[in-house]
Amino acid sequence: MKVLDDIKNLIEDLLGGDTVFNNTKILNPEYIPSNLPHRENQIKEMTVSFRDLILNPGSSSIRLVIIGRTGTGKSVTTKKFGLKLREIAHERNLRLEYVHVNCHRQRTLYLILQEISQGLRLQLPNRGLSSQETFRIIYDYLEKRNIHLVITLDEFDYFVSTAPLEDIYFLVRVYDELNVTTKRLHYIFIVREITSLSGLDKSIKDHIIKNIIDFPPYKSTELYDILADRVYNEKAFKENSVSEDVLRFIAEVHGFDKGGSGNARISIETLELAGKIADSENSPIVTLEHAKKANSKINPELSALIDSIKELDLHQLIFLKALVLLHDQEGIDFFPIGKIEQRYVELSKNFGEEPRRHTQIFEYVRRMKLMGLINTRQSGRGMRGRTTLVSLPIPISMEFKDLINTEIRKRLEQSRIS
Ligand SMILES: Nc1ncnc2c1ncn2[C@@H]1O[C@H](COP(=O)(O)OP(=O)(O)O)[C@@H](O)[C@H]1O
Ligand SMILES: [Mg+2]
């Protein structure tokens, strides 16, 4: 039983052993830190937009759009703002509630309304309610108790790309049609790119896009401050266990000005992983080596995909490029297969290639899915019949795009020679 005992000792050593962490919760994506370095301007702009609600409640219904890529602090900043606004309102005897709905999790109008009710701790009757009825109950509740409600629709692009138009219309406009004197509902829409709203009716668009606040990707010095705040102020790690060098390295890798994604989430994840690696090596400090190791592990999917991409034939690559281009332009993840095919046909012609037929495209999708190069799912109802939606399995990096372009060029050259 020697071996088993060794393993048991090993596990116990690690469990009871020293750790560089003080409190890992502080590194969770859901954690809301006290400070939000480099988002002061955005918070100022949000305050200006919501000033009327505090100073002159009921006079207007406020709409705000927040735009920025993944990891730019849109969710955390909005949540923090909502909570603080509520606090300030309460100090002024104004009843204000804040509800944050993630449209990626709450995928339908019905679920969104349920989530809003829950946020208000409002008990809905058990029988199946229509969205209209649910909305009416929420509204009556606010009216009866004289409550103002700020609703954040996070990842709203997701709702826009999957929900039927009438549901989007309902969510955005129905309140204005109620003809009320006191405006109690206020919206913050969070999207990744403004173009994700461009497919909407003009009437809806005009309605949403009044105030826009931009969340640019972080520069390396900004990421450094964000990481330093978690380590030295929030004390996610034990005293003196993380040096500035480690933070500087991670910040440099991901800083937008240094060619990185400017993504705070990935930076924090890398730091956490570096800590875990230090623990697994029984090291009392996180070293630069640990940070480098963590960094090379943080995108292991990409390296696996690179090999598969090299195996694709020209038309599969063009299809993949079409998907990447759409993703870049529209800032959403899932596209109906038909839409990608359209783009693919255009691209093929640009490359002087005869586009493959529809049935062949389906076969490509099936095969690339098996290779793990794309994800698919069926659309919900409402998209005029069910259709297959396609997305990429990982965030698109420059490296990923370059690889696709290089491979396409190689294939084109090969076919010209032969
Ligand atoms: N300015 C900031 N200060 C501190 N932490 C931040 C800041 N911006 C982002 N973060 C952290 O980075 C992670 C991603 O932020 P999040 O708000 O989820 O980004 P987004 O919603 O734009 O994708 C979270 O852990 C968040 O707490
Ligand atoms: Mg978010």
Side-chain angles (χ1 to χ4, degrees):
M1 292 310 278
K2 178 92 178 53
V3 176
L4 263 186
D5 272 355
D6 281 354
I7 292 174
K8 186 163 174 243
N9 285 342
L10 174 76
I11 294 173
E12 277 184 344
D13 266 7
L14 281 175
L15 286 177
D18 270 345
T19 166
V20 292
F21 293 106
N22 177 41
N23 183 355
T24 47
K25 260 198 222 121
I26 289 166
L27 302 169
N28 282 349
E30 299 297 316
Y31 176 78
I32 303 183
S34 308
N35 296 319
L36 294 171
H38 304 290
R39 285 301 174 237
E40 294 85 0
N41 282 335
Q42 282 75 9
I43 293 173
K44 267 188 213 159
E45 287 181 53
M46 291 165 92
T47 309
V48 171
S49 302
F50 274 90
R51 203 182 194 150
D52 255 6
L53 172 56
I54 299 291
L55 300 182
N56 202 358
S59 59
S60 63
S61 165
I62 295 157
R63 271 113 224 265
L64 189 59
V65 179
I66 285 184
I67 298 174
R69 325 174 159 209
T70 314
T72 53
K74 301 182 300 296
S75 301
V76 73
T77 308
T78 316
K79 275 182 199 158
K80 183 105 187 161
F81 175 77
L83 296 175
K84 290 292 164 196
L85 197 69
R86 177 173 183 265
E87 210 176 296
I88 289 166
H90 287 197
E91 282 164 17
R92 294 167 175 250
N93 291 322
L94 172 67
R95 295 182 137 190
L96 185 151
E97 294 299 331
Y98 175 77
V99 181
H100 195 103
V101 183
N102 186 321
C103 300
H104 198 72
R105 258 174 250 152
Q106 269 64 48
R107 292 171 178 219
T108 61
L109 175 60
Y110 181 73
L111 289 176
I112 289 175
L113 291 169
Q114 293 262 318
E115 184 76 4
I116 294 172
S117 319
Q118 253 176 38
L120 290 167
R121 287 169 299 278
L122 173 59
Q123 199 70 42
L124 291 175
N126 251 338
R127 66 194 172 84
L129 292 177
S130 70
S131 298
Q132 311 276 346
E133 288 169 315
T134 313
F135 183 82
R136 191 75 225 185
I137 292 175
I138 295 173
Y139 180 73
D140 288 344
Y141 177 85
L142 300 176
E143 189 70 1
K144 213 182 294 155
R145 292 168 199 237
N146 192 21
I147 299 173
H148 287 268
L149 177 63
V150 178
I151 302 169
T152 292
L153 297 169
D154 201 343
E155 312 218 27
F156 184 63
D157 13 25
Y158 195 81
F159 186 66
V160 171
S161 69
T162 55
L165 252 186
E166 66 255 34
D167 285 2
I168 301 170
Y169 187 87
F170 180 93
L171 196 59
V172 176
R173 300 262 355 222
V174 74
Y175 175 63
D176 300 280
E177 285 159 10
L178 280 178
N179 217 353
V180 291
T181 43
T182 309
K183 308 285 190 196
R184 302 188 174 281
L185 279 185
H186 313 275
Y187 291 96
I188 300 176
F189 303 96
I190 302 183
V191 295
R192 266 183 276 171
E193 278 181 50
I194 193 69
T195 48
S196 51
L197 301 176
S198 53
L200 293 176
D201 273 17
K202 190 170 177 331
S203 69
I204 300 185
K205 241 184 336 198
D206 288 351
H207 220 73
I208 302 180
I209 309 177
K210 286 189 178 156
N211 299 310
I212 296 179
I213 302 182
D214 192 30
F215 279 56
Y218 292 111
K219 293 195 287 241
S220 54
T221 50
E222 296 172 330
L223 288 176
Y224 179 87
D225 293 337
I226 291 170
L227 293 172
D229 187 69
R230 295 290 166 112
V231 174
Y232 305 123
N233 296 333
E234 299 268 345
K235 306 214 181 301
F237 288 83
K238 286 190 181 143
E239 201 87 30
N240 297 325
S241 58
V242 185
S243 69
E244 292 175 5
D245 280 355
V246 166
L247 304 188
R248 216 168 284 127
F249 169 77
I250 297 172
E252 295 266 316
V253 169
H254 296 289
F256 191 60
D257 54 331
K258 303 282 163 72
S261 62
N263 184 327
R265 169 171 310 198
I266 292 185
S267 307
I268 295 172
E269 268 174 24
T270 309
L271 177 62
E272 183 177 19
L273 185 58
K276 285 183 181 161
I277 294 173
D279 276 359
S280 74
E281 294 181 6
N282 271 319
S283 165
I285 55 165
V286 183
T287 65
L288 199 54
E289 278 315 303
H290 297 144
K292 286 183 181 167
K293 252 190 212 168
N295 189 51
S296 66
K297 279 193 179 172
I298 224 76
N299 206 346
E301 302 100 314
L302 181 62
S303 39
L305 290 188
I306 287 174
D307 294 331
S308 316
I309 287 174
K310 289 182 176 162
E311 288 172 19
L312 297 178
D313 70 34
L314 177 60
H315 284 264
Q316 291 171 326
L317 286 163
I318 298 176
F319 183 86
L320 209 54
K321 185 178 169 78
L323 177 56
V324 169
L325 286 176
L326 281 172
H327 180 282
D328 269 3
Q329 274 163 7
E330 309 207 12
I332 51 176
D333 288 329
F334 280 94
F335 293 93
I337 197 167
K339 188 164 179 171
I340 309 169
E341 190 180 349
Q342 262 176 21
R343 202 47 184 280
Y344 154 82
V345 170
E346 285 166 29
L347 279 176
S348 300
K349 287 179 183 158
N350 288 347
F351 285 126
E353 284 285 328
E354 184 67 29
R356 297 288 188 259
R357 287 164 182 283
H358 192 61
T359 43
Q360 183 69 57
I361 298 296
F362 268 85
E363 180 55 23
Y364 286 164
V365 168
R366 198 185 64 79
R367 232 182 297 159
M368 286 196 270
K369 185 184 172 153
L370 284 177
M371 295 167 90
L373 277 169
I374 54 175
N375 291 329
T376 65
R377 64 179 179 80
Q378 293 301 309
S379 72
R381 269 172 293 136
M383 283 197 80
R384 266 147 286 171
R386 293 173 82 79
T387 167
T388 304
L389 300 174
V390 182
S391 76
L392 290 159
I394 57 161
I396 304 170
S397 60
M398 279 311 284
E399 207 183 332
F400 188 76
K401 287 188 220 173
D402 285 347
L403 179 66
I404 293 175
N405 288 331
T406 317
E407 290 300 311
I408 289 179
R409 228 176 296 128
K410 270 196 216 156
R411 302 289 186 290
L412 284 170
E413 274 164 20
Q414 280 163 9
S415 70
R416 262 163 222 152
I417 294 166
S418 57

